[in-house]
């Protein structure tokens, strides 16, 4: 959690910051309000907008309760006094004030709205996938202005981070949709229906998804079998 | 034919043979990976409950996996990446770690063989999960992502 793992993109290299409770290099001095504002509005306690490499565009849907739990967990970790490199971006993307324009064009803070026509599991899955799980950030293509393209939500991205081709995970749009237990296996142990095991960044994702509760894993699979874009994108 | 030209000829053959050896290794390791995947698929189908649970089948599949892993490291001669190969160049910069991950897979498969021989369904499914974890552990770092 002390940051620094490089994320290479077309715009340059992003270095995630230290989010341990260190008072100098981490976020130990943040209040819950500042933390929630960063997560849901993409604005730092100093009032600076964040690059969308920090997926507040998804986290914006997280509930107060989850953000409270998340901060409590981060606060419980050991503080690590380690500085992380500045993002290394080309012109004009290195000009942070340009992000005000980007946010104005592409981002509206929102809350998660359940779909009353769907089951509780489907809605739970929708919340995880479009909120804290931020699956669409890699699994959806981007628009010309690099916003997540919710019109083709979760239908894959030819140009993902680190030059990876990211497959579509909206099973209703695939020629050979994975069944519910295929999806479960993928997020539980990282196995595809043909017996292969994920490599690259999805293998890292599975290190996390494998630790979710069985009910949450089931909810994600239920939603991905027939997802809908966020109701208020 | 002078000795010199003979030697030159031998040297040329060696130079030509070099990439072929690497290509053979790539083809062979990819075939082995397909075997591993196909056995994983067979076992997963039982874990998912799509086919009837059969401890003997787990024994058979685990043994086939163990065979496929036999000498796997030899199929990664230095520099056999690039082209259509999904192997990352950093395998050879981190050979010790790569070898350790290979051994972890060999051990996990041995664990699965033991569990399968003992026949306890729950233990077998758990051991199968460990095998999967060892596959992912290596793919995560050393395989180029594919769809």
């Amino acid at each position: 959690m002390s940051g620094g793992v490089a994320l290479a993109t077309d715009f340059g290299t992003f270095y995630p910051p230290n989010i341990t409770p260190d008072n100098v290099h981490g976020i130990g001095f943040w209040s819950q309000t500042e933390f929630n504002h960063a997560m849901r509005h993409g604005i730092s306690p100093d009032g600076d907008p964040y690059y969308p490499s920090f997926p507040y565009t998804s986290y914006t849907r997280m509930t107060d309760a989850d953000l409270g739990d998340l901060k409590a967990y981060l606060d419980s970790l050991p503080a690590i006094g380690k500085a992380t490199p500045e993002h290394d971006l080309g012109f004009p993307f290195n000009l942070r004030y340009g992000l005000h324009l980007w946010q104005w064009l592409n981002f509206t803070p929102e809350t998660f709205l359940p779909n009353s026509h769907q089951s509780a599991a489907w809605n739970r899955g929708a919340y995880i996938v479009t909120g804290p799980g931020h699956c669409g950030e890699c699994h959806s293509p981007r628009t010309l202005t690099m916003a997540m393209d919710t019109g083709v939500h979760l239908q894959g991205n030819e140009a993902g981070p680190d030059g990876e081709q990211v497959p579509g995970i909206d099973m209703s749009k695939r020629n050979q949709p994975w069944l519910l237990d295929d999806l479960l296996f993928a997020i539980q142990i990282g196995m595809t229906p043909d017996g292969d095991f994920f490599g690259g960044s999805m293998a890292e994702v599975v290190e996390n998804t494998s630790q979710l509760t069985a009910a949450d894993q089931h909810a994600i699979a239920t939603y991905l079998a027939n997802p809908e874009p966020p109701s208020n994108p | 034919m002078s000795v010199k030209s003979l030697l030159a000829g031998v040297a040329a053959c060696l130079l030509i043979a070099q990439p072929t050896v690497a290509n053979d290794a790539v083809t062979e390791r990819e075939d082995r990976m397909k075997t591993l995947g196909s056995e994983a698929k067979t076992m997963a189908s039982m874990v998912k409950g799509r086919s009837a649970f059969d401890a003997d089948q787990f024994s058979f599949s685990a043994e086939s996996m163990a065979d496929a892993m036999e000498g796997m490291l030899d199929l990664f001669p230095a520099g056999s990446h690039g082209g259509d190969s999904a192997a990352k160049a950093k395998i050879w910069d981190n050979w010790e770690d790569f070898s350790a991950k290979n051994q972890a897979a060999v051990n996990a498969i041995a664990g699965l063989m033991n569990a399968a021989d003992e026949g306890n369904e729950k233990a077998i499914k758990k051991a199968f999960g460990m095998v999967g974890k060892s596959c992912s552990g290596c793919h995560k770092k050393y395989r180029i992502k594919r769809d």
Side-chain angles (χ1 to χ4, degrees), chain A residues 167 181-182 191 196-197 207, chain B residues 48 50 132 139-140 143 147:
Chain A
D181 53 4
D182 293 330
M191 188 179 142
D196 191 7
F197 284 83
E207 284 186 1
Chain B
K48 288 172 183 170
R50 281 189 205 170
H139 288 182
K140 181 173 70 177
R143 190 179 69 172
D147 189 352

Side-chain angles (χ1 to χ4, degrees), chain A residues 11-67:
Chain A
F11 308 98
T13 304
F14 291 98
Y15 294 96
N18 182 339
I19 54 169
T20 71
D22 186 72
N23 280 327
V24 179
H25 300 290
I27 60 173
F29 50 91
W30 287 16
S31 69
Q32 185 72 50
T33 308
E34 287 171 328
F35 181 77
N36 289 11
H37 199 61
M39 291 288 284
R40 284 204 288 235
H41 295 255
I43 302 286
S44 80
D46 292 335
D48 290 326
Y50 287 114
Y51 287 95
S53 52
F54 165 41
Y56 54 86
T57 39
S58 294
Y59 297 157
T60 188
R61 297 183 186 90
M62 289 178 73
T63 61
D64 284 345
D66 280 353
L67 289 174

Side-chain angles (χ1 to χ4, degrees), chain B residues 105-119:
Chain B
V106 169
N107 294 347
I109 291 166
L112 178 58
M113 281 168 76
N114 284 339
D117 288 345
E118 283 165 19

Side-chain angles (χ1 to χ4, degrees), chain A:
Chain A
M1 298 293 167
S2 62
V5 179
L7 181 71
T9 71
D10 288 344
F11 308 98
T13 304
F14 291 98
Y15 294 96
N18 182 339
I19 54 169
T20 71
D22 186 72
N23 280 327
V24 179
H25 300 290
I27 60 173
F29 50 91
W30 287 16
S31 69
Q32 185 72 50
T33 308
E34 287 171 328
F35 181 77
N36 289 11
H37 199 61
M39 291 288 284
R40 284 204 288 235
H41 295 255
I43 302 286
S44 80
D46 292 335
D48 290 326
Y50 287 114
Y51 287 95
S53 52
F54 165 41
Y56 54 86
T57 39
S58 294
Y59 297 157
T60 188
R61 297 183 186 90
M62 289 178 73
T63 61
D64 284 345
D66 280 353
L67 289 174
D69 289 348
L70 182 58
K71 179 156 166 53
Y73 171 71
L74 291 174
D75 285 346
S76 76
L77 298 174
I80 298 175
K82 190 185 97 181
T84 45
E86 291 287 311
H87 298 323
D88 180 15
L89 307 176
F91 180 83
F93 308 109
N94 55 347
L95 305 175
R96 198 175 268 270
Y97 56 75
L99 289 169
H100 288 294
L101 176 65
W102 187 89
Q103 289 193 343
W104 179 75
L105 276 173
N106 292 314
F107 175 60
T108 313
E110 65 180 57
T111 48
F112 175 76
L113 293 180
N115 181 337
S116 58
H117 301 293
Q118 298 281 1
S119 68
W122 187 95
N123 275 300
R124 175 70 181 161
Y127 171 72
I128 296 171
V129 168
T130 64
H134 67 281
C135 306
E137 302 281 348
C138 284
H139 284 284
S140 303
R142 299 251 161 192
T143 63
L144 273 180
T145 57
M146 294 312 285
M148 221 193 320
D149 193 343
T150 46
V152 279
H153 186 233
L154 302 178
Q155 291 178 35
N157 184 1
E158 286 285 305
D162 283 332
E164 291 182 338
Q165 278 190 7
V166 187
I169 52 171
D170 175 345
M171 293 303 146
S172 69
K173 300 287 195 307
R174 281 175 70 118
N175 289 333
Q176 289 182 307
W178 297 12
L179 303 178
L180 195 73
D181 53 4
D182 293 330
L183 287 162
L184 271 178
F185 247 52
I187 56 181
Q188 284 168 346
I189 66 168
M191 188 179 142
T192 71
D194 58 8
D196 191 7
F197 284 83
F198 294 137
S201 49
M202 193 59 204
E204 290 175 36
V205 171
V206 171
E207 284 186 1
N208 296 318
T209 56
S210 62
Q211 296 181 50
L212 293 171
T213 63
D216 279 351
Q217 291 169 338
H218 190 264
I220 292 173
T222 304
Y223 173 70
L224 291 181
N226 188 22
E228 284 169 14
S231 47
N232 45 350

